[in-house]
Amino acid sequence: MSKAIGVVEYKTVSSGVLAADLMIKTSNIDIIQSTVVCPGKYVIIVTGELSSVTASVDAAKVQLGENMVDSFVLGNPSEEIFPAIYGGVNIEGAKALGIMETFSVPSMIIAADTAAKTSEVTLIELRLARGMAGKSYMFLTGDVAAVTAAIEHARDVVGGDGMLLDSAVIPNPDKDLWASIL
């Protein structure tokens, strides 16, 4: 048994709330987030054992798939994802800054997991759709080469599904920019 994270994103609030209830009743999972996001979509992020998360996401897909925007289950996620979702990462000595934007929550979590597992980077923040018209973004830091490799690999992974919006690497951000991000 291994830890997993699962996400379902719906076009409507009513389908999202129904899905959240169904997912909880289907298997033993913990809800990280179950909320309305701009522009009126609904996102559910769950964690638990891989088999439980898979069963809950599959149930939501089967019973409420017609209003689903995107979904995924990720086994063995990078532990950096969880504090970055809550914005509780303390960064000392930040170096290069990597930024990536996607059109969906699931694609951003996949991108963040890919980036964190690609090279020695630290996820700073994952902003998942709230106040972003449904888009999501991540900030990460590390050496320039590590940040560049992480962003490029994440782009390759999520770029094929049409959910990639944009990305950038800033080799040496100004201290005032860091102060506004951290």
Side-chain angles (χ1 to χ4, degrees):
M1 294 207 238
S2 63
K3 189 170 186 172
I5 188 169
V7 178
V8 290
E9 185 172 343
Y10 284 92
K11 293 185 263 187
T12 67
V13 174
S14 56
S15 289
V17 174
L18 281 168
D21 183 63
L22 173 65
M23 292 170 76
I24 293 167
K25 290 175 178 174
T26 296
S27 59
N28 184 21
I29 56 165
D30 293 316
I31 291 186
I32 295 174
Q33 185 177 34
S34 179
T35 189
V36 175
V37 297
C38 295
K41 296 191 297 184
Y42 200 89
V43 172
I44 306 132
I45 305 172
V46 300
T47 189
E49 295 300 321
L50 180 58
S51 59
S52 296
V53 171
T54 300
S56 68
V57 169
D58 286 350
K61 287 166 60 174
V62 167
Q63 293 190 31
L64 298 159
E66 68 278 355
N67 281 326
M68 186 177 284
V69 174
D70 201 359
S71 69
F72 81 97
V73 173
L74 177 65
N76 195 28
S78 169
E79 287 298 320
E80 288 192 42
I81 288 176
F82 300 101
I85 288 172
Y86 298 114
V89 179
N90 186 18
I91 303 297
E92 300 279 331
K95 298 176 183 170
L97 175 64
I99 309 126
M100 178 177 274
E101 292 177 77
T102 65
F103 286 111
S104 77
V105 171
S107 61
M108 179 47 61
I109 294 176
I110 291 168
D113 184 66
T114 299
K117 291 177 177 175
T118 295
S119 55
E120 291 293 318
V121 295
T122 301
L123 296 176
I124 299 170
E125 180 180 8
L126 294 178
R127 179 64 57 100
L128 302 174
R130 293 195 112 177
M132 300 264 311
K135 298 186 310 179
S136 296
Y137 71 83
M138 73 172 157
F139 288 146
L140 56 89
T141 190
D143 292 331
V144 175
V147 169
T148 300
I151 292 293
E152 286 176 359
H153 194 199
R155 284 182 64 94
D156 290 344
V157 168
V158 299
D161 66 6
M163 291 293 167
L164 177 65
L165 181 59
D166 199 7
S167 68
V169 174
I170 303 172
N172 188 22
D174 186 272
K175 65 180 175 44
D176 292 338
L177 177 62
W178 276 123
S180 71
I181 291 172
L182 302 176

